[in-house]
Amino acid sequence: MVYIGIMETTSSTPMSGRKAQAARNDQVILQAAREVFVADPGAPISAVAERAGVGISALYRRYAGKEILLRKLCSDGLKLYIAEAEAALADDGDPWTVFARFMRRIVEADTHSLTLSLAGTFTPDEDLHRESAHAERLALEVFERARDAGILRPGLEVADLSMIFEQLASVRLGDEERTAQMRHRYLALVLDSLRLTSAGPLPGPPPTAEEIGRRWSTA
Amino acid sequence: MVYIGIMETTSSTPMSGRKAQAARNDQVILQAAREVFVADPGAPISAVAERAGVGISALYRRYAGKEILLRKLCSDGLKLYIAEAEAALADDGDPWTVFARFMRRIVEADTHSLTLSLAGTFTPDEDLHRESAHAERLALEVFERARDAGILRPGLEVADLSMIFEQLASVRLGDEERTAQMRHRYLALVLDSLRLTSAGPLPGPPPTAEEIGRRWSTA
DNA sequence: CCAGAACGGAACATTATGTTCCATGGTTTA
DNA sequence: TAAACCATGGAACATAATGTTCCGTTCTGG
């Protein structure tokens, strides 16, 4: 293919200029990477470039290697998770509404698709560990607030939420929109169950934070 | 490693004889294959041989190639599913008990780990299609019997069961036993929700058989 | 004791994929 | 306008992974 500068006509940011294009590529590449790796965690890096409509070198100029890119994606996911948790904590409306919305937002953000499928495929960063710990802390707060409000089924633990998010992330049917639809369907199902304050406790010991975290050690 | 005949001392089947050992290997290999591919659908065939404690040629003597082996595993899974469905249909005890047990058995049999993770990685057989259709038919009967008994939440469809099985199959934590424990935990959660006969309908159109089946077309 | 079945595992062929490299051609500044 | 600069595209390369074949070895049955 011949090298052709992309002539943008739409623009909130200045349309041309090499820097503008580069900045746009920053976004395009990350978006493509997310889509590609969510669909197939083992996808080759060239697939990301194709999806983004750029050459491979555009990728390597930004990220020194595949692992760096994966770390970046995970980090972004955690940041998103943290933001949603903080939003939930800042909201002092009806406890159940706040809790349910938090769950819905996380499912929509699809943070756990990467988290789950990428676990063990690369060595976590120091920053990643910090962010992960932070996310855990906030999630615990969100959970405890709901529990203390007495709106949750007895026996539930924070770690259960992680497992539920991962299960919902495993739902993948057709295009992105259809997938989102299906996930909402099963989230609704689970939420009704989480709400059963008079139900008996769940069988088996809940997952521990250690069990959940261990999967990140490079196999 | 030097070739050393395995001297079995325990035996329900005659302990020695090349044929006896071969028959035993038939089982060992299938078992190993199931374990390996459930843990990692993309695992190399050599990993199966190692796990089984046999050489590669023992594998190739039985299955002409990887795909044949995968087909065999899927077929076995479907047979298991069919057997459980038939057992449920033959049981005319309390409808909810029968239904819940069916769900539990399928989760325990872990049929959907393979089904899910292998979808699209090989071209389905003619026999596979037949068995799959049969399984679907029986599952529908099991489902309808439960629904007609009025014990299911309104709006549910058979296809929802498949999706739920797949979600539960995505739960994987530590060793096999711990994983089974966790799956029971979340199955219990979901079952409570499926039982909510007075709950509102679930959001979004349910998955169609076509949507679920399409994932088998070799990508 | 021999023919043949079953096996172990090295060797091979092929593919997949991460990474490097360089010519190309916009962009910008002097 | 001209030259330096820099992001880019994509071919080329190195390598690792893995499905499959092949051959010498070992054991059983007759």
Side-chain angles (χ1 to χ4, degrees), chain B residues 1 3 18 25 55 57 61-62:
Chain B
M1 183 198 288
Y3 182 91
R18 204 67 162 206
N25 276 355
S57 70
R61 162 157 300 275
R62 292 168 173 77

Side-chain angles (χ1 to χ4, degrees), chain A residues 18-33:
Chain A
R18 204 64 163 214
K19 266 182 186 167
Q21 185 193 357
R24 225 174 308 126
N25 277 355
D26 286 348
Q27 299 308 313
V28 171
I29 285 174
L30 277 179
Q31 170 74 10

